[in-house]
Amino acid sequence: MDINYHKTLTFKNRKPCRELSIELNIRGASEYTKVSFPVKYGLFSKLETCDYIFEFNLIHEIRHIKSKKKSWLNPSEWLKRTMGNDWVYYSTGGYSGVFEALGEYYLPNLMYPTNSLLGGRPFEENEINGIVKNWHEIILQLPVTGIPVEFSQWIQSIQQQTPEKLQEKSQSLFDISGSRVTVMPPDARHVDYNIIPITICDGCLYKCQFCKIKNKKKFLIRSKQDIDNQITQLRQLYSQDIVNFNAIFLGEHDALNAPCELILNTVQKAFDGFEFQSSYMKENFLFMFGSVDSFLNAGKLFFERLNGLPFQTFINIGLESYDQATLDLLGKPVTKKQVGQAFEKIQTINDTFSNIEITCNFVMDETLPDSHYESLMTLIRKSVNRTKPKGCIYLSPLKFNSPSRQGLYDFYKLKSLSRFPTFLYMIQRL
Ligand code: SF4
């Protein structure tokens, strides 16, 4: 793809505050990093008016917005539109608390209920709510005459990407695999949740009682043909903007339970089909969920082959508890013994394979028995005698829509005792 030009236009007419500047094909950061200031990734274009900064992807779809007005909560905070057409408000949350809790410097505030313990209600702020609703009206008022043709064409193209079209596009994304990704693995934070979803199997094995994100689908493996079709259609949907992606998510809730060959073939086909070798973003990432059973069943040879792929792979396993009473309470049909074996195997895989990280989730809630927390300590503190750099432990609050200081305090207590990197799991959809 030919993106070797970078042009800037600053345009001013006589009316007060009608200055605008356009920068086409900006080269943002090409590697995801964790820093305490806003970083823009990939190739994009920018439009700056007196009041706002808008950023667009390579196919003229709005990507980020930030207001320059005093009423904006914080100059280093911004709005992001996801591929699922949600707006997410990234807040600093005072920085230190957010990084300690999430492993990232910015807190994604979502428009729908989630299990976050942190955050306020930014979408109730007039300035944020207003720009989410009216951004396209502002774009429609931009001049398309009296400026160089290249900029005029660009403005017309961004004007054509209406909120309705963007909504339809997100629906097309969900239609490719048959449904929306209702939960992304916590590890997708490493690529700011910019993943391309491919469903290789539907549903999950357990249908645990406590789980709010499960669906009714029976666990079913997709055919090779179905997966090939998804890759072809996704390539078309992402179009020229595909160069801004370097990560895939194999769905749905237990991709690890698919046959090894199907997983490995899909990853290779996606790498080729999405032309990751020429992505603007460095490195490639693979994310998926696994269950206790699928993880215990996966053989050494599978991990060896996975490790040999040109991807950093993150597999997230829902262990939930190492206490039988809690597992029974949660309605999770696995035993304490299986959870212990899975945790042990996780350490072996993480110690052996440099390109694979297995992470795991445990639930947290003030109503759970003390035995849940005591047994959790056995795994995340007593089972190892030194701090581990790898193998994140994610603690997942059970309640939705219930930010809680006490919950956060309990989390920090567990984190301070853990010998693994330990963070909160905030459930996000694509
Ligand atoms: S926790 Fe995982 S396995 Fe259990 S119902 Fe939810 S998605 Fe399925």
Side-chain angles (χ1 to χ4, degrees), residues 204 206-208 210-211 213-214 253 320 332:
C204 64
Y206 304 143
K207 309 292 181 207
C208 318
F210 80 98
C211 175
I213 50 97
K214 64 178 175 280
H253 305 312
E320 322 308 355
K332 179 131 195 143

Side-chain angles (χ1 to χ4, degrees), residues 17 52 61 89 91 112 167 248 265 289 319 323 356 390:
C17 213
Y52 299 103
E61 297 163 344
Y89 183 79
S91 67
Y112 50 89
Q167 185 59 38
I248 54 173
N265 283 341
F289 287 113
L319 298 182
D323 171 48
I356 301 175
K390 206 174 155 190

Side-chain angles (χ1 to χ4, degrees), residues 87-89 108-114 120 122-123 426-429:
W87 286 99
V88 180
Y89 183 79
N109 292 269
L110 311 175
M111 298 177 91
Y112 50 89
T114 185
F123 290 99
M426 200 179 110
I427 290 176
Q428 280 193 70
R429 68 188 184 189

